[in-house]
Amino acid sequence: MPSTARDHARICRGCWDQMRVPIPIRGPLAFPFRVCGITRSKMNPNICTICERSFSFVKKQRHISATVTILFADIRGYTHLSERINPVVLSEIVSLFQDQCAQAIWNNDGIVNKQMGDGLMAIFNFPIKIAHHASAAVQAALDIQRHCTAALNDLASRQGEPAADGVGVGVGVHTGLVEIGEFSTFRSEFTAIGGAVNLTARLESQAAAGEILVSAAAAAQAADLVAGAQTRSLSLKGIEHPVTAHVLGKGH
């Protein structure tokens, strides 16, 4: 059996959860697999490159429907910031953001599915199965805000860059049905597509620095983490009806 959440799993948790196949990723038994090119995935160090690059082999089809929780995060004010500060400091800010986000996501059993410079997309409940995936994603979002704020403030003080003081992160979280699989003939890594992904991206775009916007669907499954949060009605681009978001973070 794989290790519990936040442990360094000795076998791939994705292959175990999806196929009940124990693929060693740590320890002496993992060596022959590394020789064959099967290593820990960059999406999450507790899954392997079979999960990352061989979706059709794992699931026996090119894509599947699944209920998951999606998280988008992005550095606020990045474009304006890039025009004002040293490029070396800017690269440190991006690296800090990506590293802190990844650690928060991995600690809550999610995967970093896409990294887009000053932003990223994470999936919770595939390939690692999570019973309470909405709660896991909201907790990861809270950890992202806490850790990124501390790390960025520390960087700003060390560099003596007052322009870095205003940097913040906006996060969107939503639970819904998506299609997961391989959708490109040029890249083998799986991803998720669908209306739920688009809605999450729109939520994140409306989150101010330090804010987390959680959809009603995700909030209903993570009630303990959003209890007492204010709500905000949003008109989102490409979404026909107004969306109610629970607002977590600075000032709320």
Side-chain angles (χ1 to χ4, degrees):
M1 290 292 292
S3 303
T4 58
R6 300 178 180 81
D7 287 345
H8 294 297
R10 298 185 71 82
I11 68 172
C12 171
R13 295 187 61 194
C15 286
W16 181 260
D17 285 356
Q18 298 299 323
M19 301 186 295
R20 284 298 186 262
V21 175
I23 303 295
I25 55 175
R26 291 184 176 87
L29 293 178
F31 180 74
F33 289 85
R34 288 199 298 271
V35 170
C36 296
I38 299 171
T39 60
R40 295 195 294 274
S41 169
K42 292 182 179 180
M43 291 186 181
N44 183 306
N46 284 333
I47 67 174
C48 74
T49 47
I50 293 176
C51 292
E52 178 184 332
R53 303 171 188 167
S54 305
F55 180 89
S56 296
F57 172 79
V58 173
K59 301 305 295 183
K60 312 304 180 188
Q61 49 193 317
R62 283 189 60 80
H63 56 86
I64 62 167
S65 297
T67 298
V68 301
T69 299
I70 302 292
L71 180 153
F72 274 86
D74 183 85
I75 300 176
R76 289 292 171 264
Y78 177 80
T79 301
H80 183 56
L81 186 70
S82 67
E83 298 171 350
R84 295 188 296 160
I85 68 171
N86 186 306
V88 175
V89 177
L90 185 68
S91 68
E92 286 191 61
I93 289 172
V94 172
S95 294
L96 266 174
F97 164 77
Q98 292 289 356
D99 291 347
Q100 294 296 331
C101 285
Q103 196 60 58
I105 290 161
W106 296 342
N107 284 347
N108 289 280
D109 291 334
I111 64 161
V112 179
N113 186 240
K114 294 179 181 177
Q115 291 179 301
M116 300 85 73
D118 61 326
L120 60 79
M121 168 185 162
I123 302 174
F124 294 79
N125 203 32
F126 188 88
I128 299 173
K129 293 182 180 179
I130 312 171
H132 304 289
H133 49 88
S135 292
V138 173
Q139 184 59 60
L142 291 168
D143 293 345
I144 284 170
Q145 291 293 13
R146 182 170 62 255
H147 296 155
C148 280
T149 298
L152 291 171
N153 285 342
D154 179 65
L155 175 63
S157 64
R158 285 190 289 109
Q159 296 290 339
E161 290 281 356
D165 291 344
V167 177
V169 177
V171 184
V173 178
H174 175 53
T175 298
L177 188 67
V178 301
E179 287 293 305
I180 296 179
E182 299 169 355
F183 300 99
S184 169
T185 57
F186 301 102
R187 295 178 64 87
S188 60
E189 297 92 342
F190 71 86
T191 191
I193 64 172
V197 177
N198 296 336
L199 194 153
T200 314
R202 299 303 185 196
L203 280 175
E204 176 263 299
S205 71
Q206 296 298 309
E211 281 188 343
I212 303 162
L213 297 186
V214 182
S215 73
Q221 298 185 39
D224 56 329
L225 293 174
V226 301
Q230 296 181 8
T231 59
R232 185 181 299 165
S233 182
L234 301 170
S235 295
L236 303 178
K237 183 179 178 181
I239 309 296
E240 183 177 358
H241 301 291
V243 172
T244 298
H246 294 251
V247 185
L248 303 176
K250 184 169 57 179
H252 298 278

